[in-house]
Every structure is written in C-alpha cells, then in structure tokens.
C-alpha cells in the first residue's frame, strides 16, 4: 500500500532475525563447549563419549560424582550406597519411597525391594555415562558457568522470536486499519474514528530484542 512505515517493519524484521541467528549460534557454541569439557575432564577416566540428554548434563552440574551403577560387578545389581553421589542419592530416594524403613533392607526377593531396584534401574546413571569432578572443581565451575551462558543465549533467541511475532502482528493490524481507513473512511469505536496506527521500534544496547510500541490514533 506504499506506506512509508513499511520500511520500519522491514528494518525491525531484519534486525531481529540477525539477533536470533547470533543468539542461536552462541548457544550452540556454548553447548558444544560444556559437553566437550564434560567429556575431556569428568567423563574421561571412565571412557564415556556418547552424548547425553539435557537432564544428564544438569546432573553433572549438581553432583561432584555420579557414583558406580553396580558396586559389585557380577551377580545381581548392587546399587551405589554413597548418598553424596548421584546414583547413591537415587538409591536413597528409592528406599525412602518403597521401603517401610529406608535404613533396614527387606528381603531381596520381596516386592518392596524389587520396586526400589526397578526405580534405581530407571533413574540411575549407567557406567557408560559415569563421571567425576574429583580434583577438578575449577573445571566444574567453568562447566557450570558455560551451561548458564548457553541457557541465556537460547532464552535470548526465544525472546527475539517473540519480538518477530509481535512485529508480524503489528504489521497485520496496521494493514487492516490502513485498508479500513482508505476504503471505508475509518473504524468507529465509541463515537471516535480510528485515524491511523503508529509503530515505533527502539533497539536496546545489550538487550535481547529491544522494545516495540504500537499506538492507535483516533479522531472525533
């Protein structure tokens, strides 16, 4: 419709898309960095190289060690007992959930023992994903900060996408109002005539998406 403010929408769109690509790229780079740090430090003594889930990498942030999955190889499963480790905490939770007394073991063949063992199997970390930050707490601190930086980058990308959607919505409303004004002489609201739409976009230094303001102009 040859409205000059269409340039503002286009500039805002390009700016926001550039910001989105930058934030997504930063997040991907930081995610690779903390996964490599986990593999080369915490997981290296155990030979773990297979990528884990997001929950798995959160556990590395919260616990110094995973603990063993099976304390005594061979025979039945013997869960980790050290509750300061991730697996030990899982076994403690299993006992508190399914045993009458978490400190007194029922018979291994009993239903309550087997339910606790099934819970441990589902939630504990296997040997392929075992880790330890022992004697590497400095590296663990770097790991935690890198995860938080990645989270901020991905959140910034989400925020920018929201701003893109708002830019589309504002341009849609603007187009509708402009058509109504041109073809029908405006839109009547409570005795007032909608005369136009004003849109301003202000990039903010250091902010994820800046700010957008939209205003309706009425005449009596």
């Amino acid at each position: 419709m040859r409205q000059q403010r269409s340039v503002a929408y286009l500039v805002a769109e390009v700016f926001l898309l550039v910001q989105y690509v930058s934030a997504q790229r930063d997040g991907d780079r930081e995610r690779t960095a903390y996964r490599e740090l986990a593999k080369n430090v915490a997981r290296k003594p155990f030979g773990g190289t297979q990528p884990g889930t997001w929950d798995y990498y959160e556990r590395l942030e919260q616990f110094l060690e995973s603990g063993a999955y099976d304390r005594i190889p061979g025979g039945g499963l013997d869960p980790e007992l050290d509750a300061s480790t991730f697996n030990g905490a899982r076994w403690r939770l299993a006992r508190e959930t399914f045993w009458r007394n978490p400190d007194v073991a029922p018979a291994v063949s009993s239903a309550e023992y087997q339910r606790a063992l099934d819970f441990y199997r589902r939630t504990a970390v296997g040997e392929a994903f075992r880790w330890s930050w022992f004697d590497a707490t400095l590296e663990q601190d770097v790991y935690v900060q890198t995860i938080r930086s990645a989270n901020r980058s991905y959140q910034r990308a989400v925020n920018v996408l929201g701003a893109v959607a708002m830019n589309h919505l504002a341009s849609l409303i603007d187009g509708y109002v402009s058509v109504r004004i041109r073809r029908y002489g405006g839109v009547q609201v409570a005795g007032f005539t909608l005369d136009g739409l004003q849109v301003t976009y202000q990039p903010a230094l250091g902010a994820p998406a800046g700010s957008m303001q939209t205003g309706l102009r009425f005449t009596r």
Side-chain angles (χ1 to χ4, degrees), residues 101-148:
N101 185 337
D103 297 318
V104 178
V108 174
S109 59
S110 67
E112 57 182 312
Y113 190 97
Q114 290 303 314
R115 283 196 295 268
L117 203 60
D118 288 342
F119 176 87
Y120 180 80
R121 287 193 182 99
R122 293 194 308 270
T123 62
V125 171
E127 292 299 321
F129 292 95
R130 191 172 177 180
W131 78 84
S132 174
W133 294 107
F134 189 75
D135 286 338
T137 52
L138 178 60
E139 289 84 348
Q140 187 184 25
D141 289 341
V142 174
Y143 174 84
V144 170
Q145 294 304 318
T146 307
I147 277 189
R148 292 177 180 173

mmCIF file of all heavy atoms in Angstrom, residues 101-148:
data_model
loop_
_atom_site.group_PDB
_atom_site.id
_atom_site.type_symbol
_atom_site.label_atom_id
_atom_site.label_comp_id
_atom_site.label_asym_id
_atom_site.label_seq_id
_atom_site.Cartn_x
_atom_site.Cartn_y
_atom_site.Cartn_z
ATOM 1 N N ASN A 101 11.201 -48.918 56.065
ATOM 2 C CA ASN A 101 12.298 -48.218 56.739
ATOM 3 C C ASN A 101 13.468 -48.164 55.761
ATOM 4 O O ASN A 101 14.027 -49.204 55.412
ATOM 5 C CB ASN A 101 12.705 -48.959 58.025
ATOM 6 C CG ASN A 101 13.758 -48.208 58.826
ATOM 7 O OD1 ASN A 101 14.498 -47.382 58.292
ATOM 8 N ND2 ASN A 101 13.826 -48.501 60.115
ATOM 9 N N PRO A 102 13.866 -46.967 55.316
ATOM 10 C CA PRO A 102 14.924 -46.885 54.298
ATOM 11 C C PRO A 102 16.278 -47.387 54.771
ATOM 12 O O PRO A 102 17.167 -47.638 53.947
ATOM 13 C CB PRO A 102 14.976 -45.382 53.980
ATOM 14 C CG PRO A 102 14.395 -44.709 55.170
ATOM 15 C CD PRO A 102 13.351 -45.651 55.693
ATOM 16 N N ASP A 103 16.445 -47.533 56.086
ATOM 17 C CA ASP A 103 17.731 -47.990 56.621
ATOM 18 C C ASP A 103 17.739 -49.475 56.960
ATOM 19 O O ASP A 103 18.759 -50.004 57.408
ATOM 20 C CB ASP A 103 18.081 -47.178 57.873
ATOM 21 C CG ASP A 103 18.255 -45.691 57.557
ATOM 22 O OD1 ASP A 103 18.871 -45.378 56.516
ATOM 23 O OD2 ASP A 103 17.754 -44.858 58.330
ATOM 24 N N VAL A 104 16.609 -50.135 56.763
ATOM 25 C CA VAL A 104 16.528 -51.571 57.042
ATOM 26 C C VAL A 104 16.050 -52.268 55.775
ATOM 27 O O VAL A 104 14.901 -52.101 55.349
ATOM 28 C CB VAL A 104 15.563 -51.873 58.213
ATOM 29 C CG1 VAL A 104 15.477 -53.381 58.441
ATOM 30 C CG2 VAL A 104 16.024 -51.156 59.477
ATOM 31 N N ALA A 105 16.937 -53.049 55.177
ATOM 32 C CA ALA A 105 16.624 -53.674 53.895
ATOM 33 C C ALA A 105 15.680 -54.859 54.083
ATOM 34 O O ALA A 105 15.932 -55.733 54.917
ATOM 35 C CB ALA A 105 17.896 -54.129 53.208
ATOM 36 N N PRO A 106 14.603 -54.905 53.302
ATOM 37 C CA PRO A 106 13.753 -56.109 53.319
ATOM 38 C C PRO A 106 14.441 -57.213 52.520
ATOM 39 O O PRO A 106 15.531 -57.019 51.966
ATOM 40 C CB PRO A 106 12.485 -55.626 52.623
ATOM 41 C CG PRO A 106 12.954 -54.555 51.702
ATOM 42 C CD PRO A 106 14.103 -53.878 52.389
ATOM 43 N N ALA A 107 13.826 -58.346 52.444
ATOM 44 C CA ALA A 107 14.390 -59.447 51.658
ATOM 45 C C ALA A 107 14.514 -59.033 50.201
ATOM 46 O O ALA A 107 13.649 -58.335 49.657
ATOM 47 C CB ALA A 107 13.504 -60.681 51.790
ATOM 48 N N VAL A 108 15.615 -59.428 49.572
ATOM 49 C CA VAL A 108 15.864 -59.052 48.176
ATOM 50 C C VAL A 108 14.728 -59.530 47.276
ATOM 51 O O VAL A 108 14.389 -58.874 46.287
ATOM 52 C CB VAL A 108 17.213 -59.631 47.706
ATOM 53 C CG1 VAL A 108 17.418 -59.387 46.214
ATOM 54 C CG2 VAL A 108 18.363 -59.047 48.512
ATOM 55 N N SER A 109 14.124 -60.630 47.597
ATOM 56 C CA SER A 109 13.055 -61.182 46.770
ATOM 57 C C SER A 109 11.701 -60.518 47.028
ATOM 58 O O SER A 109 10.733 -60.783 46.314
ATOM 59 C CB SER A 109 12.926 -62.689 47.016
ATOM 60 O OG SER A 109 12.648 -62.943 48.401
ATOM 61 N N SER A 110 11.619 -59.636 48.036
ATOM 62 C CA SER A 110 10.347 -59.016 48.374
ATOM 63 C C SER A 110 9.927 -58.008 47.319
ATOM 64 O O SER A 110 10.754 -57.452 46.581
ATOM 65 C CB SER A 110 10.431 -58.331 49.737
ATOM 66 O OG SER A 110 11.322 -57.225 49.677
ATOM 67 N N ALA A 111 8.620 -57.728 47.273
ATOM 68 C CA ALA A 111 8.090 -56.791 46.278
ATOM 69 C C ALA A 111 8.617 -55.380 46.513
ATOM 70 O O ALA A 111 8.933 -54.654 45.568
ATOM 71 C CB ALA A 111 6.564 -56.799 46.327
ATOM 72 N N GLU A 112 8.728 -54.972 47.783
ATOM 73 C CA GLU A 112 9.183 -53.600 48.046
ATOM 74 C C GLU A 112 10.641 -53.413 47.645
ATOM 75 O O GLU A 112 11.017 -52.362 47.120
ATOM 76 C CB GLU A 112 8.968 -53.223 49.514
ATOM 77 C CG GLU A 112 9.621 -54.127 50.515
ATOM 78 C CD GLU A 112 9.313 -53.699 51.956
ATOM 79 O OE1 GLU A 112 9.453 -52.492 52.265
ATOM 80 O OE2 GLU A 112 8.943 -54.569 52.760
ATOM 81 N N TYR A 113 11.488 -54.425 47.868
ATOM 82 C CA TYR A 113 12.885 -54.319 47.445
ATOM 83 C C TYR A 113 12.971 -54.249 45.927
ATOM 84 O O TYR A 113 13.720 -53.439 45.369
ATOM 85 C CB TYR A 113 13.700 -55.514 47.969
ATOM 86 C CG TYR A 113 15.191 -55.346 47.777
ATOM 87 C CD1 TYR A 113 15.989 -54.881 48.813
ATOM 88 C CD2 TYR A 113 15.796 -55.634 46.550
ATOM 89 C CE1 TYR A 113 17.359 -54.709 48.643
ATOM 90 C CE2 TYR A 113 17.157 -55.462 46.362
ATOM 91 C CZ TYR A 113 17.931 -54.997 47.410
ATOM 92 O OH TYR A 113 19.290 -54.823 47.229
ATOM 93 N N GLN A 114 12.205 -55.075 45.232
ATOM 94 C CA GLN A 114 12.259 -55.116 43.776
ATOM 95 C C GLN A 114 11.715 -53.826 43.151
ATOM 96 O O GLN A 114 12.220 -53.369 42.122
ATOM 97 C CB GLN A 114 11.482 -56.328 43.254
ATOM 98 C CG GLN A 114 12.145 -57.660 43.561
ATOM 99 C CD GLN A 114 13.565 -57.758 43.016
ATOM 100 O OE1 GLN A 114 13.798 -57.397 41.859
ATOM 101 N NE2 GLN A 114 14.491 -58.238 43.838
ATOM 102 N N ARG A 115 10.705 -53.222 43.784
ATOM 103 C CA ARG A 115 10.199 -51.953 43.272
ATOM 104 C C ARG A 115 11.260 -50.862 43.397
ATOM 105 O O ARG A 115 11.436 -50.032 42.501
ATOM 106 C CB ARG A 115 8.921 -51.553 44.009
ATOM 107 C CG ARG A 115 7.690 -52.317 43.560
ATOM 108 C CD ARG A 115 6.415 -51.630 44.025
ATOM 109 N NE ARG A 115 6.302 -51.637 45.484
ATOM 110 C CZ ARG A 115 5.671 -52.589 46.181
ATOM 111 N NH1 ARG A 115 5.093 -53.598 45.546
ATOM 112 N NH2 ARG A 115 5.595 -52.510 47.499
ATOM 113 N N ALA A 116 11.963 -50.840 44.535
ATOM 114 C CA ALA A 116 13.043 -49.870 44.717
ATOM 115 C C ALA A 116 14.155 -50.106 43.699
ATOM 116 O O ALA A 116 14.717 -49.158 43.132
ATOM 117 C CB ALA A 116 13.593 -49.957 46.143
ATOM 118 N N LEU A 117 14.462 -51.370 43.441
ATOM 119 C CA LEU A 117 15.516 -51.701 42.487
ATOM 120 C C LEU A 117 15.112 -51.289 41.067
ATOM 121 O O LEU A 117 15.944 -50.785 40.290
ATOM 122 C CB LEU A 117 15.820 -53.197 42.550
ATOM 123 C CG LEU A 117 17.199 -53.644 42.051
ATOM 124 C CD1 LEU A 117 18.300 -52.983 42.862
ATOM 125 C CD2 LEU A 117 17.312 -55.170 42.157
ATOM 126 N N ASP A 118 13.856 -51.487 40.717
ATOM 127 C CA ASP A 118 13.374 -51.064 39.392
ATOM 128 C C ASP A 118 13.471 -49.547 39.228
ATOM 129 O O ASP A 118 13.853 -49.049 38.157
ATOM 130 C CB ASP A 118 11.917 -51.516 39.198
ATOM 131 C CG ASP A 118 11.800 -53.008 38.987
ATOM 132 O OD1 ASP A 118 12.823 -53.637 38.645
ATOM 133 O OD2 ASP A 118 10.686 -53.551 39.173
ATOM 134 N N PHE A 119 13.127 -48.817 40.293
ATOM 135 C CA PHE A 119 13.251 -47.362 40.252
ATOM 136 C C PHE A 119 14.704 -46.958 40.033
ATOM 137 O O PHE A 119 15.005 -46.054 39.233
ATOM 138 C CB PHE A 119 12.723 -46.773 41.565
ATOM 139 C CG PHE A 119 12.882 -45.286 41.672
ATOM 140 C CD1 PHE A 119 11.914 -44.426 41.159
ATOM 141 C CD2 PHE A 119 13.995 -44.727 42.301
ATOM 142 C CE1 PHE A 119 12.059 -43.045 41.253
ATOM 143 C CE2 PHE A 119 14.149 -43.352 42.405
ATOM 144 C CZ PHE A 119 13.178 -42.512 41.877
ATOM 145 N N TYR A 120 15.616 -47.609 40.722
ATOM 146 C CA TYR A 120 17.044 -47.318 40.581
ATOM 147 C C TYR A 120 17.519 -47.604 39.155
ATOM 148 O O TYR A 120 18.259 -46.810 38.571
ATOM 149 C CB TYR A 120 17.831 -48.151 41.590
ATOM 150 C CG TYR A 120 19.327 -47.941 41.540
ATOM 151 C CD1 TYR A 120 19.911 -46.831 42.150
ATOM 152 C CD2 TYR A 120 20.157 -48.853 40.892
ATOM 153 C CE1 TYR A 120 21.288 -46.641 42.116
ATOM 154 C CE2 TYR A 120 21.530 -48.675 40.851
ATOM 155 C CZ TYR A 120 22.095 -47.560 41.466
ATOM 156 O OH TYR A 120 23.457 -47.374 41.415
ATOM 157 N N ARG A 121 17.093 -48.718 38.606
ATOM 158 C CA ARG A 121 17.493 -49.058 37.228
ATOM 159 C C ARG A 121 17.054 -47.988 36.234
ATOM 160 O O ARG A 121 17.766 -47.667 35.296
ATOM 161 C CB ARG A 121 16.890 -50.407 36.816
ATOM 162 C CG ARG A 121 17.520 -51.621 37.456
ATOM 163 C CD ARG A 121 17.075 -52.888 36.747
ATOM 164 N NE ARG A 121 17.624 -54.083 37.374
ATOM 165 C CZ ARG A 121 16.968 -54.847 38.232
ATOM 166 N NH1 ARG A 121 15.703 -54.525 38.567
ATOM 167 N NH2 ARG A 121 17.527 -55.910 38.753
ATOM 168 N N ARG A 122 15.849 -47.447 36.436
ATOM 169 C CA ARG A 122 15.303 -46.458 35.503
ATOM 170 C C ARG A 122 15.964 -45.096 35.621
ATOM 171 O O ARG A 122 16.032 -44.362 34.638
ATOM 172 C CB ARG A 122 13.787 -46.295 35.717
ATOM 173 C CG ARG A 122 12.960 -47.512 35.364
ATOM 174 C CD ARG A 122 11.491 -47.145 35.269
ATOM 175 N NE ARG A 122 11.016 -46.429 36.458
ATOM 176 C CZ ARG A 122 10.505 -47.001 37.533
ATOM 177 N NH1 ARG A 122 10.413 -48.332 37.578
ATOM 178 N NH2 ARG A 122 10.076 -46.282 38.558
ATOM 179 N N THR A 123 16.432 -44.736 36.812
ATOM 180 C CA THR A 123 16.861 -43.358 37.035
ATOM 181 C C THR A 123 18.354 -43.178 37.292
ATOM 182 O O THR A 123 18.854 -42.055 37.182
ATOM 183 C CB THR A 123 16.090 -42.750 38.220
ATOM 184 O OG1 THR A 123 16.373 -43.493 39.414
ATOM 185 C CG2 THR A 123 14.586 -42.780 37.947
ATOM 186 N N ALA A 124 19.061 -44.244 37.642
ATOM 187 C CA ALA A 124 20.491 -44.117 37.915
ATOM 188 C C ALA A 124 21.281 -44.010 36.617
ATOM 189 O O ALA A 124 20.794 -44.354 35.531
ATOM 190 C CB ALA A 124 20.977 -45.314 38.745
ATOM 191 N N VAL A 125 22.503 -43.523 36.718
ATOM 192 C CA VAL A 125 23.391 -43.354 35.557
ATOM 193 C C VAL A 125 24.219 -44.615 35.383
ATOM 194 O O VAL A 125 24.887 -45.073 36.318
ATOM 195 C CB VAL A 125 24.309 -42.132 35.766
ATOM 196 C CG1 VAL A 125 25.369 -42.078 34.676
ATOM 197 C CG2 VAL A 125 23.485 -40.858 35.773
ATOM 198 N N GLY A 126 24.187 -45.169 34.168
ATOM 199 C CA GLY A 126 24.962 -46.366 33.870
ATOM 200 C C GLY A 126 26.443 -46.078 33.731
ATOM 201 O O GLY A 126 26.875 -44.926 33.671
ATOM 202 N N GLU A 127 27.226 -47.135 33.638
ATOM 203 C CA GLU A 127 28.676 -46.988 33.577
ATOM 204 C C GLU A 127 29.124 -46.186 32.347
ATOM 205 O O GLU A 127 30.145 -45.500 32.396
ATOM 206 C CB GLU A 127 29.332 -48.369 33.560
ATOM 207 C CG GLU A 127 29.191 -49.134 34.864
ATOM 208 C CD GLU A 127 29.853 -48.409 36.039
ATOM 209 O OE1 GLU A 127 30.934 -47.819 35.843
ATOM 210 O OE2 GLU A 127 29.277 -48.433 37.139
ATOM 211 N N ALA A 128 28.389 -46.254 31.247
ATOM 212 C CA ALA A 128 28.783 -45.525 30.035
ATOM 213 C C ALA A 128 28.694 -44.015 30.218
ATOM 214 O O ALA A 128 29.295 -43.253 29.446
ATOM 215 C CB ALA A 128 27.901 -45.957 28.862
ATOM 216 N N PHE A 129 27.961 -43.566 31.250
ATOM 217 C CA PHE A 129 27.788 -42.127 31.483
ATOM 218 C C PHE A 129 28.338 -41.708 32.857
ATOM 219 O O PHE A 129 28.027 -40.627 33.341
ATOM 220 C CB PHE A 129 26.306 -41.759 31.396
ATOM 221 C CG PHE A 129 25.750 -41.885 30.011
ATOM 222 C CD1 PHE A 129 25.106 -43.053 29.613
ATOM 223 C CD2 PHE A 129 25.892 -40.858 29.093
ATOM 224 C CE1 PHE A 129 24.597 -43.176 28.331
ATOM 225 C CE2 PHE A 129 25.390 -40.977 27.805
ATOM 226 C CZ PHE A 129 24.743 -42.136 27.424
ATOM 227 N N ARG A 130 29.155 -42.530 33.431
ATOM 228 C CA ARG A 130 29.706 -42.233 34.749
ATOM 229 C C ARG A 130 30.619 -40.996 34.670
ATOM 230 O O ARG A 130 31.272 -40.753 33.656
ATOM 231 C CB ARG A 130 30.492 -43.430 35.271
ATOM 232 C CG ARG A 130 30.891 -43.323 36.727
ATOM 233 C CD ARG A 130 31.498 -44.626 37.228
ATOM 234 N NE ARG A 130 31.943 -44.485 38.614
ATOM 235 C CZ ARG A 130 32.515 -45.468 39.313
ATOM 236 N NH1 ARG A 130 32.695 -46.665 38.741
ATOM 237 N NH2 ARG A 130 32.894 -45.271 40.554
ATOM 238 N N TRP A 131 30.671 -40.203 35.751
ATOM 239 C CA TRP A 131 31.532 -39.021 35.763
ATOM 240 C C TRP A 131 32.067 -38.767 37.165
ATOM 241 O O TRP A 131 31.539 -39.267 38.157
ATOM 242 C CB TRP A 131 30.769 -37.792 35.287
ATOM 243 C CG TRP A 131 29.852 -37.165 36.309
ATOM 244 C CD1 TRP A 131 30.198 -36.269 37.293
ATOM 245 C CD2 TRP A 131 28.452 -37.416 36.488
ATOM 246 N NE1 TRP A 131 29.093 -35.933 38.062
ATOM 247 C CE2 TRP A 131 28.009 -36.616 37.587
ATOM 248 C CE3 TRP A 131 27.518 -38.217 35.831
ATOM 249 C CZ2 TRP A 131 26.692 -36.613 38.022
ATOM 250 C CZ3 TRP A 131 26.208 -38.209 36.267
ATOM 251 C CH2 TRP A 131 25.806 -37.414 37.348
ATOM 252 N N SER A 132 33.113 -37.949 37.228
ATOM 253 C CA SER A 132 33.652 -37.484 38.499
ATOM 254 C C SER A 132 34.415 -36.179 38.266
ATOM 255 O O SER A 132 35.268 -36.094 37.378
ATOM 256 C CB SER A 132 34.598 -38.525 39.104
ATOM 257 O OG SER A 132 35.217 -37.990 40.275
ATOM 258 N N TRP A 133 34.080 -35.154 39.068
ATOM 259 C CA TRP A 133 34.813 -33.888 39.057
ATOM 260 C C TRP A 133 35.823 -33.852 40.204
ATOM 261 O O TRP A 133 36.341 -32.785 40.533
ATOM 262 C CB TRP A 133 33.844 -32.718 39.217
ATOM 263 C CG TRP A 133 32.885 -32.516 38.094
ATOM 264 C CD1 TRP A 133 31.557 -32.786 38.085
ATOM 265 C CD2 TRP A 133 33.172 -31.953 36.800
ATOM 266 N NE1 TRP A 133 30.983 -32.446 36.884
ATOM 267 C CE2 TRP A 133 31.949 -31.923 36.074
ATOM 268 C CE3 TRP A 133 34.333 -31.477 36.179
ATOM 269 C CZ2 TRP A 133 31.862 -31.448 34.773
ATOM 270 C CZ3 TRP A 133 34.263 -30.998 34.896
ATOM 271 C CH2 TRP A 133 33.035 -30.979 34.194
ATOM 272 N N PHE A 134 36.119 -34.983 40.801
ATOM 273 C CA PHE A 134 37.066 -35.034 41.914
ATOM 274 C C PHE A 134 38.423 -34.510 41.451
ATOM 275 O O PHE A 134 38.932 -34.915 40.403
ATOM 276 C CB PHE A 134 37.196 -36.475 42.431
ATOM 277 C CG PHE A 134 37.982 -36.589 43.704
ATOM 278 C CD1 PHE A 134 37.423 -36.203 44.907
ATOM 279 C CD2 PHE A 134 39.281 -37.067 43.687
ATOM 280 C CE1 PHE A 134 38.146 -36.299 46.090
ATOM 281 C CE2 PHE A 134 40.009 -37.167 44.861
ATOM 282 C CZ PHE A 134 39.449 -36.779 46.064
ATOM 283 N N ASP A 135 39.016 -33.598 42.222
ATOM 284 C CA ASP A 135 40.274 -32.927 41.869
ATOM 285 C C ASP A 135 40.139 -32.063 40.610
ATOM 286 O O ASP A 135 41.147 -31.723 39.972
ATOM 287 C CB ASP A 135 41.407 -33.944 41.646
ATOM 288 C CG ASP A 135 41.896 -34.541 42.965
ATOM 289 O OD1 ASP A 135 41.693 -33.908 44.021
ATOM 290 O OD2 ASP A 135 42.467 -35.648 42.931
ATOM 291 N N ALA A 136 38.912 -31.711 40.239
ATOM 292 C CA ALA A 136 38.704 -30.857 39.060
ATOM 293 C C ALA A 136 37.550 -29.887 39.326
ATOM 294 O O ALA A 136 36.743 -29.616 38.441
ATOM 295 C CB ALA A 136 38.418 -31.712 37.831
ATOM 296 N N THR A 137 37.488 -29.357 40.553
ATOM 297 C CA THR A 137 36.371 -28.465 40.892
ATOM 298 C C THR A 137 36.444 -27.149 40.107
ATOM 299 O O THR A 137 35.405 -26.541 39.833
ATOM 300 C CB THR A 137 36.367 -28.167 42.395
ATOM 301 O OG1 THR A 137 37.669 -27.695 42.794
ATOM 302 C CG2 THR A 137 36.032 -29.421 43.190
ATOM 303 N N LEU A 138 37.656 -26.701 39.754
ATOM 304 C CA LEU A 138 37.781 -25.491 38.947
ATOM 305 C C LEU A 138 37.130 -25.701 37.584
ATOM 306 O O LEU A 138 36.377 -24.851 37.096
ATOM 307 C CB LEU A 138 39.250 -25.105 38.774
ATOM 308 C CG LEU A 138 39.519 -23.867 37.896
ATOM 309 C CD1 LEU A 138 38.841 -22.636 38.496
ATOM 310 C CD2 LEU A 138 41.020 -23.633 37.751
ATOM 311 N N GLU A 139 37.401 -26.861 36.984
ATOM 312 C CA GLU A 139 36.784 -27.184 35.699
ATOM 313 C C GLU A 139 35.270 -27.315 35.828
ATOM 314 O O GLU A 139 34.528 -26.949 34.920
ATOM 315 C CB GLU A 139 37.380 -28.477 35.133
ATOM 316 C CG GLU A 139 38.811 -28.364 34.634
ATOM 317 C CD GLU A 139 39.832 -28.531 35.753
ATOM 318 O OE1 GLU A 139 39.425 -28.515 36.943
ATOM 319 O OE2 GLU A 139 41.028 -28.672 35.443
ATOM 320 N N GLN A 140 34.809 -27.833 36.974
ATOM 321 C CA GLN A 140 33.365 -27.928 37.180
ATOM 322 C C GLN A 140 32.744 -26.539 37.257
ATOM 323 O O GLN A 140 31.637 -26.309 36.738
ATOM 324 C CB GLN A 140 33.038 -28.708 38.447
ATOM 325 C CG GLN A 140 31.543 -28.974 38.604
ATOM 326 C CD GLN A 140 31.188 -29.668 39.910
ATOM 327 O OE1 GLN A 140 31.927 -29.561 40.889
ATOM 328 N NE2 GLN A 140 30.064 -30.373 39.935
ATOM 329 N N ASP A 141 33.423 -25.586 37.889
ATOM 330 C CA ASP A 141 32.912 -24.216 37.943
ATOM 331 C C ASP A 141 32.802 -23.620 36.544
ATOM 332 O O ASP A 141 31.810 -22.950 36.225
ATOM 333 C CB ASP A 141 33.829 -23.346 38.809
ATOM 334 C CG ASP A 141 33.732 -23.686 40.293
ATOM 335 O OD1 ASP A 141 32.723 -24.307 40.690
ATOM 336 O OD2 ASP A 141 34.660 -23.340 41.045
ATOM 337 N N VAL A 142 33.827 -23.852 35.722
ATOM 338 C CA VAL A 142 33.780 -23.375 34.331
ATOM 339 C C VAL A 142 32.615 -24.036 33.588
ATOM 340 O O VAL A 142 31.896 -23.391 32.823
ATOM 341 C CB VAL A 142 35.114 -23.664 33.612
ATOM 342 C CG1 VAL A 142 35.011 -23.306 32.128
ATOM 343 C CG2 VAL A 142 36.250 -22.892 34.264
ATOM 344 N N TYR A 143 32.422 -25.322 33.839
ATOM 345 C CA TYR A 143 31.326 -26.078 33.233
ATOM 346 C C TYR A 143 29.972 -25.463 33.595
ATOM 347 O O TYR A 143 29.122 -25.241 32.717
ATOM 348 C CB TYR A 143 31.404 -27.526 33.707
ATOM 349 C CG TYR A 143 30.262 -28.408 33.280
ATOM 350 C CD1 TYR A 143 30.265 -29.027 32.037
ATOM 351 C CD2 TYR A 143 29.179 -28.639 34.133
ATOM 352 C CE1 TYR A 143 29.221 -29.855 31.654
ATOM 353 C CE2 TYR A 143 28.126 -29.452 33.743
ATOM 354 C CZ TYR A 143 28.156 -30.066 32.506
ATOM 355 O OH TYR A 143 27.115 -30.867 32.127
ATOM 356 N N VAL A 144 29.782 -25.154 34.877
ATOM 357 C CA VAL A 144 28.515 -24.578 35.339
ATOM 358 C C VAL A 144 28.275 -23.222 34.679
ATOM 359 O O VAL A 144 27.159 -22.931 34.203
ATOM 360 C CB VAL A 144 28.514 -24.439 36.874
ATOM 361 C CG1 VAL A 144 27.319 -23.617 37.344
ATOM 362 C CG2 VAL A 144 28.495 -25.817 37.537
ATOM 363 N N GLN A 145 29.298 -22.381 34.626
ATOM 364 C CA GLN A 145 29.145 -21.065 34.019
ATOM 365 C C GLN A 145 28.852 -21.163 32.528
ATOM 366 O O GLN A 145 28.073 -20.364 31.983
ATOM 367 C CB GLN A 145 30.408 -20.236 34.256
ATOM 368 C CG GLN A 145 30.659 -19.884 35.711
ATOM 369 C CD GLN A 145 29.480 -19.150 36.343
ATOM 370 O OE1 GLN A 145 28.879 -18.264 35.740
ATOM 371 N NE2 GLN A 145 29.138 -19.527 37.573
ATOM 372 N N THR A 146 29.437 -22.147 31.859
ATOM 373 C CA THR A 146 29.197 -22.319 30.422
ATOM 374 C C THR A 146 27.770 -22.778 30.159
ATOM 375 O O THR A 146 27.124 -22.328 29.204
ATOM 376 C CB THR A 146 30.204 -23.323 29.819
ATOM 377 O OG1 THR A 146 31.538 -22.928 30.157
ATOM 378 C CG2 THR A 146 30.082 -23.380 28.303
ATOM 379 N N ILE A 147 27.247 -23.659 31.001
ATOM 380 C CA ILE A 147 25.857 -24.085 30.870
ATOM 381 C C ILE A 147 24.914 -22.898 31.055
ATOM 382 O O ILE A 147 23.957 -22.714 30.288
ATOM 383 C CB ILE A 147 25.519 -25.185 31.904
ATOM 384 C CG1 ILE A 147 25.971 -26.540 31.387
ATOM 385 C CG2 ILE A 147 24.019 -25.245 32.176
ATOM 386 C CD1 ILE A 147 25.496 -27.713 32.211
ATOM 387 N N ARG A 148 25.171 -22.085 32.050
ATOM 388 C CA ARG A 148 24.312 -20.928 32.300
ATOM 389 C C ARG A 148 24.384 -19.932 31.140
ATOM 390 O O ARG A 148 23.374 -19.321 30.770
ATOM 391 C CB ARG A 148 24.707 -20.274 33.615
ATOM 392 C CG ARG A 148 24.383 -21.162 34.819
ATOM 393 C CD ARG A 148 24.842 -20.561 36.121
ATOM 394 N NE ARG A 148 24.520 -21.452 37.246
ATOM 395 C CZ ARG A 148 24.904 -21.265 38.503
ATOM 396 N NH1 ARG A 148 25.628 -20.189 38.800
ATOM 397 N NH2 ARG A 148 24.564 -22.114 39.433
#
